[in-house]
Amino acid sequence: MAETFFDKIYKNKTLHTPDVLSCLANLSNDEVFTPPDIANKMLDLLPQELFKDPNTTFLDPACKTGVFLREIAKRLIVGLQDVFPNLQERLDNIFHKQLYGIAITELTSLLSRRSLYCSKYPNGEYSVSHFDSPEGNIRFRRIKHTWVGGKCKFCGANQKEYDRGDGVETYAYEFIHNLESEKLFNMKFDVIISNPPYQLSVGGGGKGSGTAIPIYHLFVNQAKKLNPRYLTMIIPSRWFSGGRGLDSFRQSMLNDPKLCKIVDFADSKDCFPGVDIAGGVCYFLWQRDNREKSNLCEIVNSYKNQTSSEMRDPSEFPIFIRNNSAVDIIKKVLS
């Protein structure tokens, strides 16, 4: 891809200057930030014509570093050159009418705006496209949990753990703590892409699987309700086996004819260097207008830069067979 306006901002011509978002992706397990190369591999799943259309809209409902929106902007800046020969007109259309985000914390909202607009306040003088508001199209609202019987009815958070004062983060993510997410921006989106929060502590003391519940599936389900043309998210692969409140999610995903592709990393470090996520991670492509109308899905196994790909029905067996090479063995045993 040709060098873009954003490349000139983030790349020093005389010195090797690593992408700050690549550095952030390696910090810790607390917030699993997406490396730019993985974000671009997810964007490669989409029809590239989307980046040549000035009306295509994109949403990241769980902004952390703003990497998805930034990488989308790079592609749109190149793809819309013929539509908007003037660079500033192109930037204004992209940032005002095409890219939207919902940050998971106030801090990540500032970081995401800095990544996208080159200024944490897009109504300031340093923003590459001027907005009247200090948040631009990347919003953050401090949301409260809705307690029912000591737990949040939306995410399952423990009231004793998260019923906090105004000065403490509640982790009540706006996208999944409402019944009408379509009204957040009052618009439809062509593409929803994200790396949502994976789990939420429910107390109990110490570390271990018993102290946290998965919440990433709630973001996937909420995104489906918005009915975008394309949906792609990177999430833990633990949903393959169900359990811990994931059984219905697993069943719906594996039997969904709109699920077109799953790229599975058995070792999460192949995707997130320095981060160990038990069971690995995967990203997927869900296509609303999938014309195949069948349960055939492309399953890609990735391990240590080695990949294998096969078109198969993920719901063919009572349990999901993760490894493509094992499918033929199982069929021979069953026969």
Side-chain angles (χ1 to χ4, degrees):
M1 183 179 295
E3 187 175 67
T4 69
F5 174 78
F6 269 62
D7 292 312
K8 293 177 182 178
I9 292 175
Y10 288 100
K11 181 180 178 183
N12 187 296
K13 293 299 183 181
T14 58
L15 299 173
H16 170 63
T17 307
D19 189 335
V20 65
L21 299 192
S22 294
C23 299
L24 284 173
N26 300 327
L27 287 180
S28 72
N29 290 20
D30 295 335
E31 291 290 354
V32 184
F33 297 147
T34 313
D37 64 316
I38 295 298
N40 276 293
K41 288 179 179 179
M42 294 170 66
L43 291 173
D44 288 341
L45 298 179
L46 301 171
Q48 297 306 293
E49 293 76 14
L50 293 170
F51 303 104
K52 298 179 181 180
D53 186 344
N55 299 309
T56 305
T57 53
F58 301 82
L59 171 68
D60 180 353
C63 287
K64 297 174 184 176
T65 64
V67 64
F68 288 112
L69 298 179
R70 191 194 71 173
E71 297 306 311
I72 293 169
K74 287 183 179 181
R75 297 187 183 216
L76 290 171
I77 289 170
V78 174
L80 297 178
Q81 284 179 330
D82 293 337
V83 181
F84 298 104
N86 180 275
L87 177 58
Q88 192 58 56
E89 291 181 7
R90 203 182 321 152
L91 294 175
D92 290 341
N93 188 83
I94 292 169
F95 294 137
H96 286 259
K97 299 180 179 180
Q98 295 188 263
L99 301 181
Y100 299 82
I102 303 172
I104 60 173
T105 66
E106 184 174 7
L107 178 61
T108 62
S109 72
L110 299 175
L111 181 57
S112 296
R113 291 178 199 131
R114 179 63 180 83
S115 297
L116 186 61
Y117 307 128
C118 303
S119 173
K120 60 183 179 181
Y121 300 116
N123 61 342
E125 61 178 312
Y126 300 110
S127 177
V128 294
S129 182
H130 183 78
F131 285 81
D132 293 330
S133 72
E135 68 177 16
N137 282 342
I138 299 178
R139 61 183 283 156
F140 171 73
R141 302 289 185 274
R142 182 180 172 83
I143 304 298
K144 294 184 178 180
H145 294 279
T146 302
W147 306 118
V148 177
K151 292 186 177 181
C152 176
K153 73 173 185 178
F154 290 107
C155 69
N158 189 315
Q159 185 172 4
K160 293 181 180 179
E161 184 94 357
Y162 291 100
D163 194 2
R164 301 168 168 179
D166 293 338
V168 184
E169 177 60 53
T170 64
Y171 299 101
Y173 304 112
E174 182 180 19
F175 187 64
I176 61 172
H177 281 77
N178 66 86
L179 299 174
E180 299 178 314
S181 289
E182 68 277 3
K183 292 185 178 180
L184 293 178
F185 288 103
N186 290 316
M187 62 183 297
K188 293 286 188 179
F189 292 98
D190 296 297
V191 178
I192 297 180
I193 181 170
S194 196
N195 177 10
Y198 294 162
Q199 62 186 25
L200 195 66
S201 171
V202 291
K207 295 183 179 180
S209 60
T211 65
I213 55 173
I215 60 171
Y216 54 88
H217 62 297
L218 303 178
F219 283 83
V220 176
N221 289 338
Q222 193 79 309
K224 285 185 178 182
K225 291 179 182 178
L226 295 185
N227 201 29
R229 291 169 60 193
Y230 301 95
L231 166 62
T232 177
M233 288 190 180
I234 184 164
I235 57 179
S237 296
R238 292 191 292 269
W239 67 270
F240 292 164
S241 57
R244 297 193 61 77
L246 294 170
D247 289 338
S248 61
F249 175 73
R250 171 185 174 276
Q251 191 73 10
S252 66
M253 286 287 282
L254 296 181
N255 289 279
D256 192 340
K258 299 177 182 179
L259 186 65
C260 301
K261 187 169 185 175
I262 299 175
V263 181
D264 177 32
F265 297 83
D267 186 347
S268 64
K269 293 180 180 179
D270 290 344
C271 190
F272 300 119
V275 178
D276 187 15
I277 300 173
V281 296
C282 68
Y283 57 81
F284 64 87
L285 176 65
W286 180 94
Q287 182 176 338
R288 183 188 67 195
D289 303 322
N290 183 13
R291 297 181 179 178
E292 293 296 328
K293 301 299 182 183
S294 70
N295 262 27
L296 288 181
C297 176
E298 182 181 2
I299 309 296
V300 179
N301 299 144
S302 181
Y303 184 72
K304 304 301 180 187
N305 296 320
Q306 300 295 317
T307 62
S308 69
S309 176
E310 187 171 327
M311 293 294 297
R312 55 188 177 92
D313 180 356
S315 63
E316 182 177 5
F317 301 102
I319 61 173
F320 175 61
I321 307 303
R322 184 173 186 176
N323 195 303
N324 289 327
S325 61
V327 174
D328 287 340
I329 296 174
I330 292 174
K331 287 182 178 179
K332 290 179 180 178
V333 171
L334 292 175
S335 65

